[in-house]
């Protein structure tokens, strides 16, 4: 799980959404276009998204009650702007004349003010009353809900506790504000700000960093927030969750005592030796240690006051106290860890527990699930089925024992189930959300794949999670139920087709999951579709359920089968265009959370350029309104937009040129070349390999020799950096992207050295690959192996297919350097192609997307020159439907983490459309610079 995604699920039921789409009850945004902040798909309130099979109308996001301070009138001579989860106030005099161009210096010592939900409005009012008369710029989080999210359990630790930011003008004003405002706010509680240095014992903290929005290339070759160093160079503005002073900055003398106080608290006097950290959240860390008095291995769990908030408002300390009490109530049952100790260090609490031997249930999938192979052995499938049934029965017994002691677990999921060394016995972990059965409460913390609907309370919450576990043990995609609970019947149908389960096992799960939902619509009734298609040539036909089919059966869950190209194409386009929001400024089509970073809604991977490109490559008519949106929002691109092929400017230019807007494409590239693009990483996604490909493409399409020269310059830099210590492999971020650049330039120049570079690049990535138990070849990331197109072996396979015919022809002609590509290399590369095809034909993949899921495997199998087993491609095409969901009469697919739908190229529906078009649609679809292959071997 990537915990960043959960907070983007709060503002919209169907799509990942920015927090600033949670509208304030009284809008304080003076810069948004009228009607923008509606919170719903397609520009309407979310409650109007009809035509779903969910049976539960999507509720419009609640209006967020603003703090009273946020509803104050803007002072005369001040500017007020709402952006993200901040409300900013700047004196107009400094806006017009400030050196940072945003009402304050470009960088310096900034003050953060922490607050809890109970005192935040009072703190904001005191800051306002202090700063406004003195002309000091500041910003604050304008509503309790937004502050709650900023301090929630899985919010970023780098932003935790930051309720107000004050921008002093120099060190003298810094000290004055700290002393005077510190006196006014003395005693106000709030979370500790991990990135900052605390001023005395109050809620004020300081950090040196950027005031103005500036960017530079970071250590991974991508754009990051920047500050200016002592020599005037832009360098990354580090926001790691630990206080530090930049090397060129001197800590003011009046802050030194506070740094000494911070460093005085250590773990040296504890009777525990901390050996490793299991994980961190905003609520604190979880550590493995040893009791130095007894030698016993223990787990220490930390709780930070006022931080790590749950939905009921409980902070990490409250939840840790709750866990301690619940574990004591369960002592002796053998279903949960025993409590060993409870202590305070600084103002943090620590619960010490028995260390449980074994592995979490989720860790068993990687090596035990029988569908992680192209051709599962029926005996292995039967063996796994028996094991899963026994484990589920053991979990049911453990939960029943917990209920017998009057406790509701409230957070049952596969990460919280520890399977013992025998592989079947279980114990339950993490009781911080537990309650007593008499409380009859809703969940306050939940894993997205096991989150009970609002009507479940008390023990019913655990029964819902047990039903989800019945499905997840066989097909771990129950996060989709957060979008649509009727998906459970569809998942059960898929599972029943793969595993020999006893009659009723899955039916019971579906009944429990869908309990209390309205009945399905009558057979033969068209799905309502309020928004007609806006693309000529594709009919807007309502999807009608066959009157002969039983109502509500899983077999009729999707509006079109993925094996039916015409039906699937029309249904996917229907969903994509129904989701479009041309009235918004940040994105046109909903997609991955990367859209909410700088420029994320524009590019190929997750933005409008990629969706428009997928529509064009799938043989569909133009979408003029979408193209105009992209043109409008790239004149110029927003500040901080990345420069690369998949993440930014270069890719937007490529897409616009392909769509016929060559002049805008050239304008964008000229702007790119005015930046310090040579400092970017050598990768394809956001770096020099992708930029070089785009420059070469535009040089050939426009005849501009300067662009060709810059493309060759990029290739030279990439060649010089090959093997320069990168830890990543694959098409997007490894050496394979460089190999693609060299291959394409070789085709256009014939320079043999380029093939030599390509061979070297491919070897570098193949050296990072390993064979799996299923016989496929995956990229080895150290803690997992990856077969996918983006960061896995399938992406390497795509480029191998292009490289080998060229290299073989060059070797036969004698134009290659000696040793660049000999018979041994040929054999190795050919075997790699074969093994990568095997990795692309597994029965189960975690996600549907193009870059990290089944759609990418479909694209590779449809394109490769290597022999594909009979029926393998058809099987993958059919199984893509496992993840499909109806959206407004169309067919949509979930994005990364499977908690919301996505329409984008890299993770969602547009990428699935592209892959199906390549596999069964007869289209010329392919990734940029990886078109369908013709001829050769």
């Amino acid at each position: 799980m990537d915990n960043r995604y959960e907070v983007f699920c709060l503002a919209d039921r169907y799509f990942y959404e920015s927090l600033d789409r949670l509208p304030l009850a009284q809008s304080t945004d003076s810069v948004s276009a009228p009607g923008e902040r509606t919170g719903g798909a397609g520009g309407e309130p979310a409650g109007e998204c009809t035509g779903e099979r969910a049976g539960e109308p999507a509720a419009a996001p609640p209006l967020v009650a603003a703090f009273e301070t946020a509803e104050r009138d803007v002072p005369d001579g001040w500017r007020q702007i709402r952006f993200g989860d901040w409300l900013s106030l700047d004196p107009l005099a400094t806006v017009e004349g400030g050196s940072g161009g945003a009402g304050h210096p470009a960088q310096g010592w900034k003050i953060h003010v922490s607050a809890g939900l109970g005192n935040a409005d009072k703190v904001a009012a005191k800051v306002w009353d202090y700063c406004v008369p003195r002309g000091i710029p500041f910003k604050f989080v304008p509503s309790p809900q937004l502050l709650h999210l900023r301090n929630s359990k899985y919010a970023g630790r780098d932003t935790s506790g930051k309720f107000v930011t004050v921008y002093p003008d120099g060190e003298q004003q810094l000290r004055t504000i700290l002393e005077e405002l510190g006196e006014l706010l003395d005693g106000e509680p709030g979370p500790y700000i991990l990135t900052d240095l605390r001023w005395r014992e109050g809620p004020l903290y300081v950090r040196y960093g950027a005031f103005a929005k500036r960017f530079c290339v970071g250590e991974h070759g991508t754009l990051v927030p920047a500050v200016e160093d002592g020599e005037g160079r832009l360098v990354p503005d580090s926001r790691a969750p630990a206080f530090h002073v930049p090397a060129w900055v001197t800590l003011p003398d009046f802050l030194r005592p506070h740094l000494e106080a911070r460093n005085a608290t250590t773990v040296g006097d504890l009777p525990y030796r901390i050996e490793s950290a299991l994980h961190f959240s905003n609520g604190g860390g979880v550590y493995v240690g040893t009791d130095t008095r007894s030698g016993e291995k223990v787990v220490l769990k930390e709780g930070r006051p006022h931080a790590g908030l749950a939905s009921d408002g409980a902070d990490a300390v409250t939840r840790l106290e709750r866990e301690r009490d619940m574990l004591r109530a369960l002592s002796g049952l053998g279903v949960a860890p025993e409590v060993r100790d409870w202590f305070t260090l600084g103002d943090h609490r620590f619960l010490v527990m028995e260390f449980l031997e074994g592995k979490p249930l989720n860790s068993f999938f990687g090596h035990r699930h029988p569908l992680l192979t192209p051709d599962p052995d029926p005996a292995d499938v039967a063996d796994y089925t028996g094991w899963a049934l026994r484990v589920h029965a053991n979990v049911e017994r453990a939960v029943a024992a917990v209920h017998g002691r009057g406790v509701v677990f409230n957070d049952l999921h596969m990460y919280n189930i520890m399977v013992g060394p025998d592989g079947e016995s279980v114990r339950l972990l993490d009781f911080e959300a537990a309650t007593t059965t008499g409380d009859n409460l809703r969940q306050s913390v939940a894993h997205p794949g096991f989150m009970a609907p609002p009507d479940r309370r008390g023990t019913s919450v655990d029964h819902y999670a047990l039903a989800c576990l019945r499905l997840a043990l066989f097909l771990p995609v129950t996060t989709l139920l957060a979008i649509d609970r009727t998906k459970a019947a569809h998942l059960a149908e898929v599972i029943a087709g793969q595993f020999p389960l006893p009659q009723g096992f899955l039916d019971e799960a579906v009944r429990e999951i869908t309990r209390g939902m309205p009945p399905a619509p009558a057979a033969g009734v068209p799905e309502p579709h309020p928004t007609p298609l806006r693309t000529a040539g594709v009919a807007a036909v309502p999807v009608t359920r066959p009157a002969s089919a039983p109502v509500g059966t899983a077999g009729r869950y999707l509006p079109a089968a993925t094996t039916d190209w015409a039906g699937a194409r029309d249904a996917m386009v229907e969903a994509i265009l129904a989701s479009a929001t041309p009235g918004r400024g940040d994105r046109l089509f909903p997609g991955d959370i990367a859209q909410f970073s700088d420029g994320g809604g524009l590019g190929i991977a997750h933005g409008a350029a990629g969706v428009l490109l997928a529509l064009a490559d799938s043989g569909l008519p133009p979408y003029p309104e979408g193209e105009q949106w992209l043109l409008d929002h790239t004149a110029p691109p927003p500040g901080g937009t990345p420069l690369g092929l998949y993440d930014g400017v270069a890719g937007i230019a490529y897409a616009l040129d392909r769509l016929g807007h060559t002049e805008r494409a050239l304008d964008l590239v000229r702007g790119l070349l005015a930046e310090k693009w040579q400092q970017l990483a050598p990768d394809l996604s956001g770096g020099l390999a992708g930029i070089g490909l785009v420059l070469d493409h535009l040089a050939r399409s426009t005849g501009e020799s300067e662009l060709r020269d810059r493309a060759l310059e990029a290739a030279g830099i990439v060649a010089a950096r090959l093997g320069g210590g990168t830890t990543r492999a694959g098409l997007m971020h490894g050496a394979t992207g460089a190999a693609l650049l060299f291959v394409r330039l070789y085709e256009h120049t014939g320079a043999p050295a380029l093939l030599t570079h390509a061979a070297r690049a491919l070897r570098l990535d193949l050296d990072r690959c390993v064979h799996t138990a299923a016989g496929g070849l995956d990229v080895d990331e150290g803690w997992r192996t990856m077969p996918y197109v983006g960061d896995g072996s399938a992406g390497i396979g795509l480029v191998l297919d292009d490289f080998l015919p060229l290299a073989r022809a060059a070797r036969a002609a004698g134009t290659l350097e000696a040793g660049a590509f000999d018979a041994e290399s040929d054999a190795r590369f050919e075997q790699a192609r074969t093994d990568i095809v095997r990795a692309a034909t597994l029965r189960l993949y975690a996600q549907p997307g193009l870059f990290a899921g089944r759609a990418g495997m479909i694209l590779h199998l449809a394109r490769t020159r290597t022999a594909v087993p009979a029926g393998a491609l058809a099987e993958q095409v059919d199984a893509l439907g496992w993840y499909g969901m109806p959206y407004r009469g169309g067919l949509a697919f979930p994005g990364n983490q499977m908690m919301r739908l996505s329409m984008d190229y890299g993770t969602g529906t547009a990428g699935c459309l592209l892959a199906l078009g390549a596999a069964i649609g007869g289209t010329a679809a392919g990734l940029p610079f990886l078109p369908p292959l013709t001829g050769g071997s």
Side-chain angles (χ1 to χ4, degrees):
M1 282 296 301
D2 185 336
N3 294 316
R4 296 175 304 157
Y5 281 77
E6 290 191 48
V7 72
F8 291 92
C9 294
L10 299 172
D12 191 281
R13 172 173 165 187
Y14 297 102
F15 303 114
Y16 294 121
E17 187 57 273
S18 172
L19 289 183
D20 66 355
R21 309 303 292 190
L22 285 168
L24 297 181
Q26 176 175 330
S27 176
T28 55
D29 190 339
S30 59
V31 295
S32 293
E36 264 196 20
R37 186 158 279 108
T38 60
E44 307 107 19
E48 295 180 18
C49 295
T50 57
E52 308 307 327
R53 289 290 301 274
E56 298 171 283
L63 291 176
V64 181
F67 290 122
E68 289 184 6
T69 308
E71 297 178 341
R72 291 183 179 186
D73 293 334
V74 180
D76 290 340
W78 285 68
R79 179 187 69 172
Q80 178 174 283
I81 297 176
R82 171 84 188 278
F83 63 96
D85 52 358
W86 291 106
L87 182 66
S88 174
L89 285 100
D90 300 272
L92 286 175
T94 55
V95 169
E96 295 166 358
S99 61
H104 34 68
Q107 63 190 59
W109 290 98
K110 62 178 72 174
I111 298 171
H112 288 120
V113 186
S114 177
L117 293 176
N119 67 325
D121 205 1
K122 179 172 67 171
V123 168
K126 288 185 176 181
V127 172
W128 180 301
D129 293 340
Y130 177 83
C131 288
V132 168
R134 294 166 176 82
I136 302 169
F138 67 100
K139 65 182 181 182
F140 66 102
V141 179
S143 77
Q145 185 168 2
L146 293 175
L147 180 60
H148 183 282
L149 296 175
R150 178 168 279 262
N151 291 328
S152 62
K153 181 174 180 180
Y154 289 113
R157 298 171 73 227
D158 58 332
T159 60
S160 176
K162 296 176 182 177
F163 171 54
V164 181
T165 306
V166 180
Y167 298 97
D169 188 2
E171 291 185 9
Q172 183 55 53
Q173 190 176 59
L174 169 71
R175 181 170 188 172
T176 300
I177 296 172
L178 287 171
E179 291 175 344
E180 295 178 352
L181 188 58
E183 186 71 25
L184 290 172
L185 296 177
D186 186 43
E188 294 291 349
Y192 195 99
I193 298 177
L194 299 173
T195 59
D196 290 24
L197 177 63
R198 190 175 191 178
W199 175 259
R200 297 175 181 162
E201 298 300 317
L204 268 57
Y205 298 77
V206 296
R207 182 181 83 84
Y208 189 93
F211 291 5
K213 194 174 184 180
R214 297 191 290 177
F215 299 89
C216 70
V217 179
E219 61 177 330
H220 299 298
T222 57
L223 292 184
V224 296
V227 292
E228 198 173 289
D229 69 8
E231 298 180 4
R233 299 171 302 188
L234 288 178
V235 297
D237 180 14
S238 174
R239 301 180 184 187
F243 176 70
H244 82 287
V245 181
W248 68 92
V249 175
T250 301
L251 184 74
D253 288 340
F254 60 87
L255 293 179
R256 292 188 182 280
H258 305 282
L259 180 60
E260 293 168 2
R262 177 188 175 106
N263 295 337
T265 301
T266 70
V267 297
D269 295 332
L270 294 178
Y272 302 101
R273 182 174 62 252
I274 306 297
E275 293 166 353
S276 64
L278 294 177
H279 76 87
F280 290 98
S281 74
N282 194 21
V286 180
Y287 312 90
V288 175
T290 298
D291 188 329
T292 57
R293 299 162 297 188
S294 65
E296 180 188 11
K297 198 172 185 178
V298 293
V299 171
L300 297 90
K301 190 170 183 179
E302 176 187 19
R304 298 177 56 223
H306 311 294
L309 302 180
S311 63
D312 61 356
D315 69 359
V317 170
T318 300
R319 295 201 316 276
L320 200 60
E321 291 172 341
R322 181 188 298 160
E323 181 166 16
R324 175 199 61 194
D325 295 344
M326 295 303 169
L327 290 179
R328 286 173 175 170
L330 299 173
S331 181
L333 272 182
V335 298
E338 298 288 340
V339 174
R340 297 293 190 237
D341 198 0
W342 173 264
F343 65 87
T344 300
L345 179 65
D347 59 354
H348 293 197
R349 309 295 193 276
F350 286 83
L351 173 63
V352 184
M353 297 172 285
E354 169 193 11
F355 179 87
L356 300 183
E357 298 290 346
K359 297 179 181 179
L361 179 55
N362 69 290
S363 69
F364 282 76
F365 283 93
H367 67 273
R368 188 155 193 166
H369 201 287
L371 301 191
L372 296 176
T373 183
D375 42 10
D377 186 327
D380 291 340
V381 175
D383 178 68
Y384 178 87
T385 302
W387 171 82
L389 290 170
R390 292 191 296 275
V391 167
H392 189 273
N394 288 339
V395 175
E396 283 190 316
R397 282 190 285 271
V399 170
V402 168
H403 291 176
R405 287 281 180 95
V407 174
V408 179
F409 189 17
N410 257 336
D411 193 19
L412 179 69
H413 57 80
M414 286 189 288
Y415 292 79
N416 282 352
I417 299 168
M418 180 67 76
V419 180
D422 63 357
E424 293 188 7
S425 62
V426 301
R427 294 175 79 175
L428 306 179
L429 302 172
D430 200 354
F431 280 78
E432 65 180 37
T435 61
T436 64
T437 53
D439 292 334
N440 200 38
L441 298 175
R442 290 173 53 182
Q443 280 178 299
S444 60
V445 174
H447 183 284
F450 296 77
M451 181 172 59
D455 65 322
R456 310 302 166 90
R457 294 174 178 269
T459 56
S460 291
V461 171
D462 290 346
H463 292 147
Y464 181 89
L466 285 168
C468 292
L469 185 62
R470 290 184 182 226
L471 303 181
L473 279 165
F474 299 96
L475 194 59
V477 295
T478 53
T479 48
L480 299 179
L481 302 180
I483 306 170
D484 179 4
R485 279 193 282 151
T486 64
K487 179 71 177 176
H490 187 214
L491 297 180
E493 181 184 73
V494 172
I495 293 167
Q498 304 292 323
F499 295 91
L501 285 160
Q503 184 71 30
F505 181 80
L506 297 174
D507 292 341
E508 185 175 335
V510 173
R511 280 194 298 271
E512 175 59 36
I513 290 168
T514 59
R515 177 166 59 85
M517 295 184 67
V525 177
E527 292 275 14
H529 179 63
T531 304
L533 288 173
R534 286 159 287 183
T535 301
V538 181
V541 180
V543 177
T544 305
R545 298 187 179 89
S548 59
V551 177
T553 60
R556 298 190 322 91
Y557 176 76
L558 298 179
T562 50
T563 52
D564 169 16
W565 166 240
R569 176 199 62 201
D570 293 355
M572 284 189 281
V573 174
E574 183 104 351
I576 289 170
L577 296 183
S579 75
T581 54
R584 285 180 60 158
D586 56 342
R587 61 125 167 108
L588 176 60
F589 300 103
D592 190 71
I593 66 171
Q595 291 187 326
F596 306 114
S597 302
D598 292 289
L602 299 172
I604 288 180
H606 307 299
V611 178
L612 295 173
L613 200 58
L615 293 173
D617 283 349
S618 300
L620 292 157
Y623 175 31
E625 189 175 5
E627 293 180 25
Q628 188 59 51
W629 185 95
L630 187 57
L631 290 167
D632 291 343
H633 290 83
T634 54
T641 301
L643 303 178
L645 169 58
Y646 280 99
D647 67 355
V649 174
I652 299 166
Y654 171 77
L656 286 174
D657 179 64
R658 290 278 315 280
L659 295 169
H661 305 286
T662 300
E663 284 306 313
R664 173 57 55 78
L666 289 172
D667 288 344
L668 290 173
V669 166
R670 292 182 188 114
L672 182 160
L673 292 175
E675 302 288 341
K676 297 178 180 179
W677 59 274
Q678 297 95 334
Q679 297 178 11
L680 292 170
D683 66 75
L684 181 72
S685 177
L688 294 173
I691 289 173
L693 284 162
V694 173
L695 292 172
D696 177 62
H697 166 80
L698 287 172
R700 288 182 296 107
S701 67
T702 65
E704 293 202 12
S705 59
E706 171 68 13
L707 299 182
R708 183 192 60 225
D709 294 343
R710 298 289 73 77
L712 293 173
E713 180 185 357
I717 298 171
V718 171
R721 294 182 187 173
L722 275 181
T726 179
T727 59
R728 302 183 72 173
L731 180 64
M732 292 296 169
H733 300 100
T736 297
L740 178 60
L741 171 64
F742 300 139
V743 164
R744 292 292 168 251
L745 288 178
Y746 172 78
E747 289 177 325
H748 305 147
T749 68
L754 290 166
L755 276 187
T756 300
H757 293 321
R760 180 179 166 218
L762 288 166
R763 284 192 199 94
L764 285 170
D765 272 5
L766 289 175
D767 287 345
R768 294 189 175 96
C769 292
V770 295
H771 283 93
T772 65
L777 189 69
D778 283 10
V779 167
D780 184 3
E781 293 190 337
W783 61 285
R784 64 179 180 180
T785 65
M786 295 287 279
Y788 299 116
V789 161
D791 291 322
S793 55
I796 302 173
L798 287 169
V799 179
L800 280 173
D801 279 330
D802 289 61
F803 168 81
L804 279 172
L806 297 174
R808 287 167 177 164
R811 189 178 72 198
T815 58
L816 276 181
E817 297 177 16
F821 181 71
D822 55 18
E824 183 178 349
S825 294
D826 194 334
R828 181 191 183 192
F829 285 13
E830 185 60 43
Q831 186 61 51
R833 282 208 297 177
T834 300
D835 295 342
I836 289 169
V837 164
R838 184 165 179 83
T841 56
L842 306 185
R843 189 72 61 85
L844 176 65
Y845 295 102
Q847 300 184 140
L850 187 62
F851 290 173
R854 195 182 295 273
M857 303 317 198
I858 291 170
L859 182 68
H860 177 49
L861 295 176
R863 181 182 189 274
T864 186
R865 292 186 170 103
T866 303
V868 175
L873 177 57
E875 185 176 82
Q876 295 297 327
V877 167
D878 180 58
L880 185 64
W882 295 2
Y883 319 87
M885 305 186 80
Y887 176 74
R888 305 211 19 212
L891 172 63
F893 290 88
N896 278 353
Q897 306 302 307
M898 305 279 281
M899 289 186 278
R900 289 294 185 267
L901 301 176
S902 169
M903 300 300 174
D904 73 28
Y905 189 95
T907 72
T909 307
C912 294
L913 173 69
L914 186 87
L916 288 180
I920 61 174
T923 68
L927 296 179
F929 310 106
L930 282 164
L933 297 174
T934 56
S937 63

